Amino acid sequence: MRSSAWILVAGLAAASACSTGEPEEGHLVILHTNDIHGQARPRRATWLGGEDPPLVGGLPRLAAAIRAVRAEVGAENVLLVDGGDWSQGTPEGLVDKGAAFVEAMVAVGYDAMCVGNHELDHGVESMRATIQGAGVPAVLANVREADGERVDWAPALRVFERAGLRVGVVGLLTPVTPSITHADAKRVHFVDPAEELGRVLLELGDTVDLVIPATHLGVDADRELARAHPGLVFIAGGHSHTFLREGVLEGEVLIGQVGSKASAYGRLDLWFDLETREVTRREYRVTSLMEEPEDEARAERVEELCAALVAQSDAVMSEVVGELAAPLDRARSSMESSAAGNLITDAMVEHFGADCAFQNRGGIRCDLPKGPVTRRDLFEILPFGNHLVLIELRGEHLFGTLRQAVEGTAHTGLEVSGLSLEVSAGDSPKLLHVMVGGAPLEPERLYRVVTNSFLAEGGDNYILLGEVESLSHDPILLRELLERCFEGGAVTPPTDDRYQVR
């Protein structure tokens, strides 16, 4: 558990060091995580390469690491925050709609947990029940009810006494949430995060010494937040799954984010003048959880809860369902197809005998290496409970939907089958031409299109799809459809590129 990087940041208030009368310093440690996504046990660090990559992360390892830091500097000097997306993403994270895994997260001892977009995947009331039932220390400032009042299922902020400071932690959630989660999220109103943080700061006045936003916005939006509020010291981010080994500076504001899946945690050490409350220096590091913890550091309650979840799911999920003859990778560019996207959408077309199919790239969550494939592997690549929907689109509307994917007006691009897209190169790509089944798209023709239930409800800002009446719903889950691909033996994923860049 020694894989880490350090950064020393200058430019804060300097301590008046002299041989006598040097101000007494306080020491606050802020620990942060994000996008844990139900990771109840370690996973293979396949990105490190090699035939037998090591195991990394998991909530039990994370809990032990947090215990060790608290023992090192004193729990009264430590603040632990999370940047959202708690449970969705593994079989263990779906037990009881995520409530069981969230209980394990609470047992880690978080002080504040920002609500992420995936907390809303089962609807607002389900999330409310989880927060209240598990005693989640949730924070969320920029979401309003229809009457304009802040939601009552999570306070805007929580204030803590740590290391002699009063610290406020404010939760901020991405405003695109209604387009990327359960349709129920459209019943609440999302306020601009930077504007809302400004309101909270005014409400707090001088009642706190330090404000830490715990955000589920993504790094780019965190940068915007930092530019709007340059007096911040630190933003504990989430949502974009970015691994910022040394953090990133926007002006004097340090932004941290530690990838996903409880693979690492971030640690910010702040020293401050106890009299003036000014921060005098700071040090930041990210620690990857590559080793099993020492026995004395283990968090028994967290391990018990996670072990129960794993046992509940393992009997089904550990079964080998097939073999990949080549890796099943995601796209590395928005203007190319991927082996994973091709295989999934080809299966969709074949299942319904449709003209074409598309799948949102954001719904394909991991790569799979060559070799045996378990049901758990298929779950991790397609963790969402989406089923198949057959719709009918006029050619002009099909073109418009694909144009959204290419030109970036939707939240995510599309993987396709039965289609060939010709696009222009450059920083602002344009959709030039579409072939359907080898023939030019006809604007007035009706095409049978299969997609997933998320997109069929207008998800990822594909609004038109949510307005089209469906021809047929098939309750088969997308990952179950993918499992059927292995019934005929080893699978070689198709690697043809369905995007032609001119």
Side-chain angles (χ1 to χ4, degrees), residues 226-239:
R227 288 193 291 270
H229 298 282
L232 295 170
V233 171
F234 181 60
I235 297 173
H239 184 52

Side-chain angles (χ1 to χ4, degrees), residues 113-134:
M113 296 164 60
C114 180
V115 175
N117 57 281
H118 283 300
E119 273 66 85
L120 287 152
D121 279 357
H122 301 288
V124 171
E125 291 309 315
S126 176
M127 181 189 56
R128 181 199 297 271
T130 294
I131 289 174
Q132 293 177 348

